[in-house]
Amino acid sequence: MIAAAFRVMLLGLVRDRAALVMAFVLPTVIFVIFAAIFSGAIGERIRIHLGLVDLARTATTERLATALEADPTLRIARLSVSDVAGATAAVRRGEVDVALVLRGDLDAAPAGAAPADQPVVLVENPARALATPIALGQFQRVLNAALPDVVLARIVADVERTGKIGADERAFLTQAFAEQRARKEPFSFASLVELRTTATGGGNDRVSYYAGAIAAVFLLFAAMQGAMSLVEERQGGLADRLTAAPGGLAVIVLGKFAFLVVQGMLQAGLIFAAASLLHGVDLKPHWGAWLVTTFLVAAMAAGLALAACAAAATRQQAHLASTFGVLLLSAVGGSMVPRFLMPPWLQQAGWFTPNAWAIEAYQTALGEGVSAALPAWGVMIAVAAVSLVAAVGLVSRRVT
């Protein structure tokens, strides 16, 4: 009996080719994806997208810009903006992870001169908070390696302003530092960089990112579990009887779609309610945009789940799609690890996942508002509509 039971299960798995692939091929694919994500999210392998603006255009800023562009651990994009506000807008829109604005000469001011504004401005996005210390660390490393004379000269200028050394000593030290550019010892540059943020001050932008990311995951999981009733009804013979009902199976699928959308909106509402009560995420300024985004995310998840379960021949296939499929989409789409920490090719692949568009929609809707969220809304409307049409067509064809 043991051998017979073993043989029955083996034959069932072998004959179900889709389940066979998802049981043995998909786990390896998921491992490769996770290995790429986590191996690229540590140490110097992290290649953040840094926007660079040289407003000063002095000899030292040109040297620094050239060194930054030549560094293999950075992805530099020259931003076509004319001020710090333009760079801030680019970071807010997600064009780059952080922006580095060189607005003044890096050389230290001489003794007696009025302290100038910090010559470098680093613009961060709270939703990508981890990118800030990475950018600062890589900036310091490049600065020490390519412009050690500038770093040391600024330190000497600070000492000179205290009156501990005179002009002759400063000239001597400046000359000595200029001859030691090959040294790469780290030095403090707190007086060099000013940190700015894209946060509006109306809420916790960092938490709102993860609220959207987690909502995308659980809406997909819940929708897949609810859509499995399509497989159960077909295997139990109930779908054949439902075809005789007014409207046929199309009405049944639409009813399930409506239920899953309402269920998803309630789930997302609870997640963001917790974010608001516990972490200060402020939804009031963008309440309408949040509501539209939540409706579209729920509709997209419901449509994809119904289409996937309509395409599944067995419950085992639907179950594997709901676990491995959602897990894979969530990993690549940024629900588990922020996409800016991934290798560039995975960041681009993330745009083919519903999670990435859901996160993008929440970020733009709760940040810049409706106008910025329109592209993401358009994608989600298209995905939801195509998926729903596919689900109706697949269900009708399978029953026929």
Side-chain angles (χ1 to χ4, degrees):
M1 292 299 292
I2 296 177
F6 181 89
R7 184 172 180 273
V8 168
M9 295 190 69
L10 177 62
L11 290 175
L13 179 61
V14 171
R15 290 170 180 170
D16 191 346
R17 294 184 179 180
L20 188 66
V21 170
M22 285 188 281
F24 294 103
V25 177
L26 196 56
T28 305
V29 173
I30 290 178
F31 163 74
V32 172
I33 296 296
F34 271 88
I37 291 173
F38 290 109
S39 64
I42 57 174
E44 294 186 353
R45 294 187 180 182
I46 300 176
R47 297 187 64 208
I48 61 172
H49 199 189
L50 189 146
L52 182 62
V53 184
D54 186 1
L55 301 179
R57 297 191 177 279
T58 66
T60 53
T61 58
E62 287 291 342
R63 284 173 57 196
L64 178 59
T66 301
L68 288 170
E69 289 178 321
D71 192 274
T73 64
L74 292 169
R75 289 188 297 141
I76 301 295
R78 289 272 190 160
L79 299 179
S80 300
V81 298
S82 57
D83 52 21
V84 177
T88 303
V91 176
R92 186 182 294 113
R93 290 192 300 267
E95 296 178 10
V96 291
D97 299 326
V98 292
L100 196 67
V101 181
L102 308 178
R103 65 178 178 184
D105 194 3
L106 301 180
D107 282 331
D117 292 334
Q118 292 159 304
V120 180
V121 178
L122 184 69
V123 183
E124 68 164 355
N125 186 338
R128 302 178 181 184
L130 188 58
T132 303
I134 295 173
L136 284 172
Q138 291 177 335
F139 170 69
Q140 182 181 17
R141 177 179 53 77
V142 172
L143 187 65
N144 287 336
L147 290 83
D149 53 317
V150 173
V151 177
L152 293 171
R154 294 186 67 86
I155 295 175
V156 171
D158 290 337
V159 177
E160 184 183 13
R161 277 191 287 271
T162 67
K164 300 299 183 182
I165 61 174
D168 294 338
E169 290 86 349
R170 184 186 189 282
F172 170 78
L173 290 174
T174 300
Q175 179 63 30
F177 294 152
E179 297 173 357
Q180 296 180 354
R181 292 186 180 181
R183 296 188 178 181
K184 300 180 180 180
E185 296 86 352
F187 295 94
S188 171
F189 60 107
S191 62
L192 192 64
V193 180
E194 176 188 340
L195 187 63
R196 293 194 184 182
T197 179
T198 61
T200 59
N204 194 329
D205 294 347
R206 190 180 311 176
V207 174
S208 68
Y209 171 90
Y210 288 106
I214 295 301
V217 176
F218 281 96
L219 263 62
L220 282 171
F221 270 122
M224 287 296 296
Q225 292 300 315
M228 279 189 191
S229 59
L230 288 176
V231 182
E232 296 168 350
E233 291 166 358
R234 185 172 66 243
Q235 291 182 331
L238 180 59
D240 295 324
R241 295 192 292 273
L242 291 174
T243 55
L249 287 175
V251 174
I252 302 301
V253 174
L254 290 175
K256 294 179 183 294
F257 176 79
F259 171 81
L260 293 176
V261 170
V262 173
Q263 173 185 269
M265 293 184 69
L266 291 175
Q267 288 176 315
L270 291 173
I271 291 173
F272 275 91
S276 178
L277 293 173
L278 301 178
H279 298 283
V281 174
D282 190 5
L283 300 179
K284 293 179 182 178
H286 305 287
W287 173 255
W290 175 87
L291 190 62
V292 173
T293 300
T294 300
F295 170 77
L296 293 178
V297 172
M300 179 175 61
L304 288 171
L306 289 168
C309 289
T314 64
R315 180 176 176 81
Q316 185 179 9
Q317 289 182 12
H319 178 71
L320 288 172
S322 70
T323 51
F324 288 111
V326 173
L327 183 65
L328 182 60
L329 292 175
S330 301
V332 177
S335 288
M336 298 182 179
V337 177
R339 288 173 53 241
F340 75 89
L341 295 176
M342 302 179 188
W345 67 272
L346 261 183
Q347 293 185 30
Q348 295 302 316
W351 290 119
F352 293 95
T353 68
N355 302 69
W357 288 107
I359 295 170
E360 177 72 9
Y362 275 122
Q363 286 293 285
T364 52
L366 298 179
E368 296 179 79
V370 173
S371 59
L374 287 176
W377 286 1
V379 171
M380 292 192 294
I381 290 172
V383 172
V386 171
S387 300
L388 184 57
V389 171
V392 172
L394 288 169
V395 168
S396 302
R397 187 182 66 179
R398 283 194 176 277
V399 172
T400 302

